[in-house]
Amino acid sequence: MGFLYSPSCVAAYKLTGSEKGRRAAILAADQLCTRFQEKGSFFQAWGPLGAKDNYRYIIDCLLNVPLLYWASETTGDAHYAELAHRHVTTCLANSIRPDGSTYHTFFMNPDGTPKGGRTCQGYKDDSFWARGQAWGVYGSAIGYTYTHDEKFLDVFRKALEFYLSRLPEDMIPCWDMLFAPESGEPRDSSSAAIVACGLLEAAK
């Protein structure tokens, strides 16, 4: 919901004062909140809520939660930001590996305890999906913008350092950073663009 409504309806409100945009974005934030799982404190990705084989979240969702921070700012209702912060806390605790690389998706047990990192769009569970790594870079930079929490900056630096360490000379990684350019695997210019956005955000 954040991917769709932040650059459209929230932007319309910020740039032109569109009340229609504001209302639509708040409704989108309300819809996003219905995906929150109390046990584990995260927004469930995909599928029926609570399904045992799909009790998980994805690194991409770091780009959804700014919608909730904005909703709290514009409505004065702290509930949106509270859920955002709880999700991000869960994500930072589990999705960022010690070396700064990221899991694409992370499964939780039904009781809310961590189960383990997996991938859906990367090469394998313990590889480094380039776009997922980019979401970690950009998402943590945006998170700091809204919260000024130093933990976001720590994650930003760590995720960025790993990304740069795997970047080829032409600065466009393979779709999974497990592969070197000479592997012939497809490149992912979108991940490079996402990281560039994260750098511009952090430069502020």
Side-chain angles (χ1 to χ4, degrees):
M1 302 306 286
F3 275 86
L4 293 171
Y5 286 86
S6 291
S8 56
C9 295
V10 173
Y13 174 65
K14 287 182 175 180
L15 295 172
T16 72
S18 169
E19 283 299 323
K20 185 178 181 180
R22 180 179 180 275
R23 287 194 301 273
I26 292 170
L27 287 172
D30 290 338
Q31 178 64 30
L32 179 55
C33 287
T34 68
R35 302 291 297 177
F36 191 78
Q37 293 289 0
E38 284 292 334
K39 290 185 177 180
S41 294
F42 65 96
F43 290 101
Q44 182 183 320
W46 309 313
L49 285 174
K52 289 183 179 180
D53 61 346
N54 203 32
Y55 204 61
R56 60 175 162 181
Y57 63 88
I58 51 178
I59 190 77
D60 317 39
C61 202
L62 286 175
L63 271 292
N64 275 325
V65 295
L67 174 66
L68 301 180
Y69 288 124
W70 169 84
S72 277
E73 288 179 356
T74 196
T75 65
D77 185 345
H79 179 65
Y80 299 106
E82 178 197 347
L83 294 188
H85 187 71
R86 288 173 64 187
H87 173 86
V88 170
T89 299
T90 299
C91 183
L92 298 188
N94 300 308
S95 298
I96 314 298
R97 300 184 184 112
D99 64 0
S101 64
T102 59
Y103 288 114
H104 168 224
T105 182
F106 197 93
F107 280 86
M108 305 292 280
N109 292 309
D111 64 358
T113 56
K115 186 175 183 180
R118 302 288 185 270
T119 195
C120 182
Q121 293 176 276
Y123 178 68
K124 58 180 183 174
D125 291 343
D126 60 352
S127 66
F128 324 109
W129 180 47
R131 206 176 329 145
Q133 192 68 26
W135 294 137
V137 173
Y138 190 18
S140 54
I142 289 178
Y144 179 78
T145 296
Y146 279 93
T147 67
H148 298 293
D149 188 329
E150 291 290 330
K151 290 195 294 292
F152 280 99
L153 279 185
D154 292 340
V155 171
F156 168 79
R157 294 186 180 108
K158 201 170 183 180
L160 177 63
E161 183 178 359
F162 183 89
Y163 180 88
L164 295 175
S165 75
R166 293 270 174 165
L167 204 59
E169 285 187 16
D170 64 7
M171 299 189 184
I172 302 178
C174 291
W175 69 281
D176 193 298
M177 300 184 88
L178 176 72
F179 301 110
E182 54 268 24
S183 66
E185 291 288 329
R187 303 295 194 94
D188 187 358
S189 59
S190 69
S191 68
I194 294 163
V195 168
C197 288
L199 289 167
L200 288 169
E201 186 70 27
K204 298 175 185 177

